[in-house]
Amino acid sequence: MLNKYPNKLFNKFAFIVYVLFGVIFLTLFVLQNKPHTITTAEYISQDIKKITNDEYKIALFSLNVVLVGNLDFDSNTNTATGHYFFANDPEKNVFTFSQVMNGDGQLRVGYFISNPLQTKRWEMRDKNGYSLIVKDGASVNLVASLQLNNPQDKYDFDVIDNALSGVQKANEKNIKIPDDFIFKVSSINFQIDN
Amino acid sequence: MTKPKAKLDKYLDPIFILFISILFIFGTTISYSNYTVITSVIACLIYILIKVFTKQINKPSKNLLIYLASMIVLVVHSLIVGGEGSFVLLFIAGGLILVSIENLDTKAYDSILNLILITGGLLSFYYVFLNIIGVYSFGQNNLFLPLAANSPHNHLGDFWATSLVILGYKMFTKFKRWHLILGIIGIFFLIISSSRSSIVSLIVGLIYVYKKIGKIRLPKGTPYLLILGVVVIFVVIGSFKTTLFSRPYVLEGLTALTIDPLGIGVGNFGKISQESLFAHNIILEIVVGMGAFSVIFLYWFAKTIFIALSSKNILYTAIFFTILANFMFDTTYIIPTMFWLFFISAGISTKQNA
């Protein structure tokens, strides 16, 4: 490994140590970031408060759980305001694809480009790369998926309690969550994604 | 019987490299950077102190002194203005690596090349393995998984660009079959990483190698065909990405600089940017962060490039330019492993008689 420097014996030792630590790293990484299955309800209850925080209001969304919302865009401030509610992904596996209805009422299928380093940018495209131009002040109904910003979050709450809690919190915020949306999907493959 | 001092002389450098190589693994993701960067600082300090106490420390070069001075300016500036601690620590680690490299035995340089190649293989293994078990992305900056799910873009290609430059150099100078096999694997991972900056940096590194070696017997036009091939890959990858407004950071940075000419503190780019937490350019990151005080850093950068251009160590200079080119277009400089590699290559390529 060290190119016979200082000698072959040390090299063997170095290689074993290197591989050993490589395995330790991978094990640690997998244990801390293993795929986790949660229900939509769990997800809602955990994140409903986050999404109503200013920090998360304009977060971009990707994968797994969709967020339905009615947003008003202001391109001057690059912010979006409005109400959100959650639903299962209408297209299942195609997590990032979303139904987008623009100001003209025309339904489009699009997705958010969700670069976590660019959390303040809104950009939508359809499967063919069509960019949805969101006009200033236009109201956009969208279905997008939620992106978590804290990979350390744990999702081990009781399903029912948290579903109810989520609904309650949503009600407090005047966010309507249709029951059929919440419980349609029994489980989703959750993956921490920043 | 071998005297303890003789043993220390023999094993100090290899043990230091081995330790750094272990840090290389953990430094591939910034999620562990709080531990890895501090550990690298401690490791370098111990190494340097042993060299001092055994009276083996070399007189620091002028270029190193310039960096150390700029590092002190950065630390003081950050304390006053409020720079991001993790960034400051990275630059401190960089300085200590430069000191360590100046005192490292030249025999160790080949070992570091092997280390880069093996790490590239290890990261690719991680990528494949994690994909198999269902971990497709990881939110924090890293060298082996995409940052967002359903996004093919990851930094594996950025690391492989360095490995490919090493392999390119080896193929140009003393061709062996395994160079080609590993090269094909590297190109595969470069393509699937969809990183345009990795392609740019690969081109920079290979052109430097090609120009410097100068006696490569290749069929006429082959280098140009290779470059054309890389350009085609760049264009194809680019066609799947948004290009418009994808790099507005320069304008944002310059605007911030006019408002705050004394700097906003290193690592605070996110505070002035509507687009990103990072400037996607190491120079811009420092200039916006330190403002007018970045002059000393820029001087070190320029001097390092100037010295490297006349370096006899073609390969390490090529690695230095490869990573530098990468740091001009991406955020890989916040990943400890890449950052260390940058300083290792800078140190070796500017070292006298390297």
Side-chain angles (χ1 to χ4, degrees), chain B residues 186-221:
Chain B
I187 288 169
F188 169 75
F189 282 105
L190 190 104
I191 292 171
I192 63 167
S193 78
S194 297
S195 168
R196 288 172 292 184
S197 49
S198 70
I199 295 168
V200 172
S201 50
L202 176 63
I203 292 173
V204 169
L206 286 182
I207 287 177
Y208 183 83
V209 168
Y210 180 71
K211 286 285 179 191
K212 279 288 176 179
I213 292 178
K215 56 178 180 182
I216 306 163
R217 288 183 182 174
L218 291 173
K220 198 178 177 183

Side-chain angles (χ1 to χ4, degrees), chain B residues 97-324:
Chain B
I97 283 174
L98 282 178
V99 178
S100 306
I101 290 296
E102 282 215 347
N103 290 283
L104 198 66
D105 192 333
T106 50
K107 288 177 191 167
Y109 297 167
D110 279 352
S111 308
I112 297 171
L113 296 177
N114 285 358
L115 170 66
I116 295 170
L117 294 178
I118 293 171
T119 306
L122 202 67
L123 295 180
S124 306
F125 171 76
Y126 288 169
Y127 176 84
V128 173
F129 178 77
L130 290 168
N131 270 270
I132 288 170
I133 66 163
V135 181
Y136 304 110
S137 68
F138 181 56
Q140 297 195 357
N141 229 321
N142 69 87
L143 282 175
F144 46 89
L145 283 178
L147 291 171
N150 284 11
S151 161
H153 174 69
N154 62 47
H155 292 311
L156 194 54
D158 297 296
F159 192 89
W160 266 106
T162 309
S163 301
L164 286 169
V165 168
I166 297 171
L167 291 168
Y169 176 86
K170 285 180 182 287
M171 277 192 265
F172 288 155
T173 50
K174 196 176 180 182
F175 180 83
K176 285 182 181 173
R177 195 175 293 170
W178 69 268
H179 296 153
L180 185 65
I181 295 167
L182 203 56
I184 291 168
I185 294 170
I187 288 169
F188 169 75
F189 282 105
L190 190 104
I191 292 171
I192 63 167
S193 78
S194 297
S195 168
R196 288 172 292 184
S197 49
S198 70
I199 295 168
V200 172
S201 50
L202 176 63
I203 292 173
V204 169
L206 286 182
I207 287 177
Y208 183 83
V209 168
Y210 180 71
K211 286 285 179 191
K212 279 288 176 179
I213 292 178
K215 56 178 180 182
I216 306 163
R217 288 183 182 174
L218 291 173
K220 198 178 177 183
T222 305
Y224 301 103
L225 274 175
L226 286 173
I227 292 168
L228 184 70
V230 178
V231 170
V232 168
I233 295 171
F234 182 91
V235 172
V236 169
I237 290 173
S239 66
F240 291 109
K241 293 184 169 192
T242 171
T243 319
L244 195 64
F245 303 128
S246 67
R247 288 292 186 272
Y249 321 114
V250 177
L251 192 63
E252 285 183 325
L254 292 177
T255 309
L257 200 60
T258 53
I259 297 167
D260 213 337
L262 296 181
I264 58 167
V266 284
N268 289 334
F269 192 82
K271 290 182 181 175
I272 57 100
S273 173
Q274 290 292 311
E275 299 290 333
S276 172
L277 296 172
F278 309 105
H280 286 65
N281 180 310
I282 193 168
I283 304 279
L284 187 66
E285 194 85 56
I286 293 168
V287 169
V288 175
M290 293 178 71
F293 297 102
S294 63
V295 170
I296 188 164
F297 242 117
L298 297 180
Y299 179 63
W300 174 79
F301 254 109
K303 197 167 171 58
T304 303
I305 292 169
F306 185 74
I307 297 170
L309 280 171
S310 57
S311 171
K312 288 176 184 170
N313 196 323
I314 297 169
L315 181 50
Y316 269 103
T317 307
I319 293 171
F320 170 67
F321 285 125
T322 302
I323 302 175
L324 181 63

Side-chain angles (χ1 to χ4, degrees), chain A residues 1-3 5-7 10 13-15 17-18 21-26 28-30 32-35 62-63 77-78 93-96 113-121 123 125 151-152 189 191-194, chain B residues 10-11 13-14 17-18 21-22 25-26 28-29 32 105 107-108 110-111 114-115 118-119 125-126 129-130 133-140 144-145 147-150 242 245 249 270 273-278 331:
Chain A
M1 175 178 162
L2 298 178
N3 213 23
Y5 168 74
N7 54 46
F10 185 87
F13 166 76
F15 187 74
V17 170
Y18 187 80
F21 274 92
V23 172
I24 291 170
F25 171 82
L26 191 60
L28 267 176
F29 188 85
V30 170
Q32 290 175 1
N33 305 287
K34 59 184 175 183
S62 68
L63 14 162
T77 56
N78 215 15
N93 296 319
V94 194
F95 293 118
T96 52
I113 293 182
S114 53
N115 183 343
L117 300 177
Q118 300 170 343
T119 52
K120 294 175 185 172
R121 186 198 302 181
E123 188 168 353
R125 288 185 168 197
Q152 304 306 322
N189 180 27
Q191 180 183 330
I192 291 169
D193 184 74
N194 213 6
Chain B
K10 188 179 178 184
Y11 286 104
D13 284 3
I17 296 171
L18 175 60
S21 69
I22 292 166
I25 304 171
F26 289 83
T28 52
T29 164
Y32 299 129
D105 192 333
K107 288 177 191 167
D110 279 352
S111 308
N114 285 358
L115 170 66
I118 293 171
T119 306
F125 171 76
Y126 288 169
F129 178 77
L130 290 168
I133 66 163
V135 181
Y136 304 110
S137 68
F138 181 56
Q140 297 195 357
F144 46 89
L145 283 178
L147 291 171
N150 284 11
T242 171
F245 303 128
Y249 321 114
S273 173
Q274 290 292 311
E275 299 290 333
S276 172
L277 296 172
F278 309 105
T331 58

Side-chain angles (χ1 to χ4, degrees), chain A residues 37 42 45 52 79 106 119 132 184:
Chain A
T37 301
E42 276 183 303
S45 60
T52 53
T79 55
Q106 191 176 358
T119 52
L132 179 74
K184 194 175 282 180

